[in-house]
Amino acid sequence: MIAYLEGTILLQRKDRVIVKAGPVGYEVYVLNPASYSPGQEVQFFCYQQFREDGQTLYGFESEEQYQLFTLLITVKGLGCKSVLNALQYIDVQTMIKAIENADATTLKKLPGIGSKTAGQIILDLKGKVVFTPQKEDKKKAPQNPVWSEVVDALQSLGYKEAEINTLQIEPDVLAGAKVDELLRVCLKQLAKGKRF
């Protein structure tokens, strides 16, 4: 079981990075892979997922991110990649606050999480995620307020939560995107009735 990984970024791909640790390269799914660059030194707390069709490694810059991730994947209806995608849009403390305050509105703004899943998260995890960071992170979890603004704009245009919840935005699509640009992409996909 790989629980911790330290090395340098060898390659940065659409939804993951390759970390070179000694003579070995590890494929690691991370928050906001576009924020990493080749040669950058990294340290990840890792979650290793075992499935019949293979193994997948997920890496987090802090123990708090790792703990939150491992709790969220225990919620019915949430998988590793959907949780990783959602955590790109919210930091650890904001997520904890939303769960503890039963703030379903904040949770529903995360991609892939609708009313039912938000309610399930609160039901399953309220009271279980009150952990205090050992120290202030120098580099917090990647956030992107653009998504929240896009959701608000779509709702003001009359789109239902269920429709918005079908949108699966890839990290490379979000990276550097402005509200108007991302809104156009969402409207185009919603008009076609497709997921992206």
Side-chain angles (χ1 to χ4, degrees):
M1 178 74 71
I2 300 174
Y4 177 82
L5 186 61
E6 185 174 329
T8 57
I9 299 295
L10 181 64
L11 291 172
Q12 177 266 321
R13 292 176 177 166
K14 184 175 72 171
D15 53 359
R16 56 198 183 277
V17 294
I18 305 300
V19 179
K20 184 177 185 297
V24 180
Y26 295 87
E27 184 177 69
V28 187
Y29 286 82
V30 296
L31 296 170
N32 195 13
S35 67
Y36 297 95
S37 56
Q40 179 180 347
E41 294 186 0
V42 292
Q43 299 175 339
F44 292 128
F45 294 92
C46 299
Y47 174 81
Q48 191 170 7
Q49 180 187 40
F50 294 91
R51 300 189 307 182
E52 291 183 0
D53 58 350
Q55 302 175 24
T56 307
L57 197 62
Y58 296 87
F60 304 91
E61 292 187 354
S62 72
E63 173 69 9
E64 291 71 40
Q65 290 175 2
Y66 168 84
Q67 288 184 50
L68 182 58
F69 174 84
T70 54
L71 281 171
L72 285 168
I73 60 176
T74 66
V75 176
K76 182 179 179 181
L78 288 178
C80 288
K81 289 188 177 179
S82 61
V83 169
L84 190 72
N85 188 41
L87 289 180
Q88 294 185 85
Y89 303 87
I90 190 169
D91 64 79
V92 171
Q93 293 306 314
T94 301
M95 185 70 163
I96 292 174
K97 183 178 179 181
I99 295 171
E100 291 305 303
N101 293 337
D103 182 4
T105 300
T106 293
L107 297 178
K108 289 189 296 184
K109 288 186 176 181
L110 300 175
I113 296 179
S115 296
K116 184 177 180 180
T117 304
Q120 193 67 49
I121 290 172
I122 293 168
L123 179 65
D124 290 355
L125 301 184
K126 187 174 181 180
K128 297 181 180 179
V129 290
V130 188
F131 50 80
T132 304
Q134 297 175 1
K135 62 181 180 179
E136 186 69 22
D137 289 336
K138 293 182 180 179
K139 184 177 180 182
K140 293 185 177 180
Q143 302 179 54
N144 199 311
V146 170
W147 175 253
S148 181
E149 291 186 44
V150 169
V151 169
D152 290 339
L154 289 171
Q155 290 178 334
S156 69
L157 290 172
Y159 284 97
K160 304 295 184 182
E161 177 189 316
E163 295 176 293
I164 297 173
N165 191 47
T166 64
L167 298 171
Q168 298 293 323
I169 303 177
E170 296 291 346
D172 61 327
V173 175
L174 180 72
K178 295 180 180 179
V179 173
D180 57 342
E181 296 172 342
L182 190 55
L183 181 58
R184 282 197 295 271
V185 174
C186 290
L187 289 171
K188 184 177 179 180
Q189 295 298 323
L190 286 168
K192 291 182 178 180
K194 295 180 179 179
R195 301 176 72 174
F196 69 108

